[in-house]
Amino acid sequence: MIWDNRLRSIPINKLKSLKNLIEPMVLSFQPDVSSMITGTYWKTYRSLFRRTWVAAAYKGAERCDDNFVAIVNRLSNAVTWTRVLRQLRRAGNKTGGIALIGFSRPAYSLPTCQILPSGIPSLFLTLFTIKAGEYHMYIASEVALCTLRCNNYLQMELTEDYSIETCERMPAKRVYRLLTILRVLKNRISNLIGTLGKNRHLLGDAFYRTLLIDELIYLRQALKSLNNEISVAFTEIYSHHTIDEWRHLHILPLVKLIDDLYWHMLHITLTS
């Protein structure tokens, strides 16, 4: 098998030298791949190769701060690929099936961004959907209640959700919980920065500064606790080198940001 994006720019007279030696795999991870059916390469592949495959993704970081999977987008990608496959087969194309992949970084040169535990709910939902050929509501309940043994249904777009801890068979659920905490803290920090930008004129008010310092103290302690827990929990899956790399990318910049803000606010308070 070979990724077909390596083949599309090759003239057909040169592609003929690969006839029946390879099987192309057409990849696209967009939420809707319906337009892929119009590609002229299908006719070329049908004439040269025994079968053509397609690739969907159950997870994939588009930015390096993508700690969680956009499940709805991934399900849409899988569903539209199954529809395209059906159309291709009706048109006489010899197709193999769908390869389900998960990539951890938007570029090969980057460190690990979106780790495996974040994609486990999406992996099961996507697998069951491909098997069924379409997404149905019962799939979420089957995955949650029967496969992962959760006490409740999986949510398609998780926000501040800790219910995954109730899933008896959820692999690495402790890691998943820590990722959820990280997302909550990141949102809280983002809101704090936004508030500071809008309310700079209030920094001269002692009561307002006290509220800010209290919030910064909480965030400092929460990030320190999270950093320590991650150092332990991630060893279930990753080497110490990978853990340190991930912490330096996702945790330590937040720690430095909050520390700098904390000491700056203390300086303003002491010199006022």
Side-chain angles (χ1 to χ4, degrees):
M1 291 183 186
I2 186 171
W3 296 123
D4 92 300
N5 57 352
R6 307 289 185 183
L7 304 176
R8 293 183 199 177
S9 60
I10 301 176
I12 189 169
N13 60 316
K14 292 186 177 180
L15 272 181
K16 288 179 179 177
S17 63
L18 298 174
K19 185 174 182 178
N20 293 327
L21 295 178
I22 63 168
E23 293 183 0
M25 183 171 289
V26 182
L27 70 159
S28 176
F29 307 130
Q30 298 302 312
D32 188 348
V33 296
S34 302
S35 61
M36 298 289 288
I37 193 68
T38 62
T40 57
Y41 40 83
W42 298 111
K43 183 178 179 182
T44 301
Y45 296 165
R46 181 172 61 188
S47 66
L48 293 178
F49 308 118
R50 286 186 292 269
R51 290 180 299 183
T52 303
W53 300 73
V54 302
Y58 69 90
K59 80 176 185 75
E62 296 176 2
R63 305 185 314 275
C64 216
D65 61 348
D66 281 349
N67 298 128
F68 272 88
V69 176
I71 296 179
V72 171
N73 289 345
R74 295 307 173 194
L75 281 175
S76 177
N77 177 249
V79 167
T80 51
W81 262 131
T82 59
R83 294 171 183 169
V84 167
L85 270 186
R86 286 198 293 268
Q87 294 179 62
L88 289 171
R89 286 165 180 164
R90 284 197 295 267
N93 289 274
K94 297 164 286 185
T95 58
I98 300 178
L100 197 56
I101 70 170
F103 54 99
S104 299
R105 51 183 66 79
Y108 292 122
S109 59
L110 292 173
T112 300
C113 302
Q114 197 175 87
I115 62 175
L116 179 58
S118 68
I120 288 175
S122 177
L123 172 60
F124 280 104
L125 287 166
T126 308
L127 280 171
F128 278 65
T129 298
I130 290 174
K131 183 180 178 181
E134 288 287 343
Y135 177 75
H136 304 285
M137 288 303 297
Y138 74 82
I139 289 176
S141 60
E142 184 175 357
V143 169
L145 304 180
C146 301
T147 305
L148 296 179
R149 293 283 178 87
C150 307
N151 291 344
N152 208 338
Y153 299 146
L154 293 174
Q155 298 181 41
M156 292 299 98
E157 290 291 357
L158 297 172
T159 51
E160 298 179 12
D161 184 81
Y162 298 89
S163 62
I164 210 74
E165 290 184 83
T166 71
C167 302
E168 293 179 11
R169 293 180 177 174
M170 170 72 179
K173 63 182 178 182
R174 184 182 176 192
V175 174
Y176 192 97
R177 172 183 172 275
L178 294 175
L179 291 175
T180 303
I181 293 173
L182 173 60
R183 177 159 57 182
V184 173
L185 291 176
K186 286 169 73 172
N187 288 339
R188 197 157 172 168
I189 291 169
S190 178
N191 290 337
L192 174 66
I193 300 299
T195 301
L196 276 172
K198 293 177 182 177
N199 299 324
R200 285 181 178 274
H201 61 285
L202 295 176
L203 290 177
D205 183 89
F207 180 70
Y208 182 72
R209 289 198 306 271
T210 300
L211 292 177
L212 285 177
I213 290 172
D214 287 345
E215 176 68 0
L216 290 168
I217 289 172
Y218 167 78
L219 289 171
R220 290 182 82 208
Q221 293 173 340
L223 286 169
K224 180 180 179 181
S225 175
L226 179 65
N227 190 38
N228 292 337
E229 283 195 69
I230 282 173
S231 299
V232 176
F234 276 36
T235 57
E236 181 182 348
I237 308 167
Y238 295 107
S239 68
H240 290 291
H241 173 76
T242 301
I243 296 169
D244 287 343
E245 183 182 65
W246 195 90
R247 286 169 52 248
H248 275 83
L249 181 66
H250 297 282
I251 305 294
L252 298 188
L254 297 176
V255 172
K256 184 178 186 307
L257 172 64
I258 295 303
D259 276 350
D260 288 348
L261 282 172
Y262 173 74
W263 290 113
H264 180 66
M265 292 306 303
L266 279 186
H267 176 73
I268 292 177
T269 300
L270 293 173
T271 55
S272 297

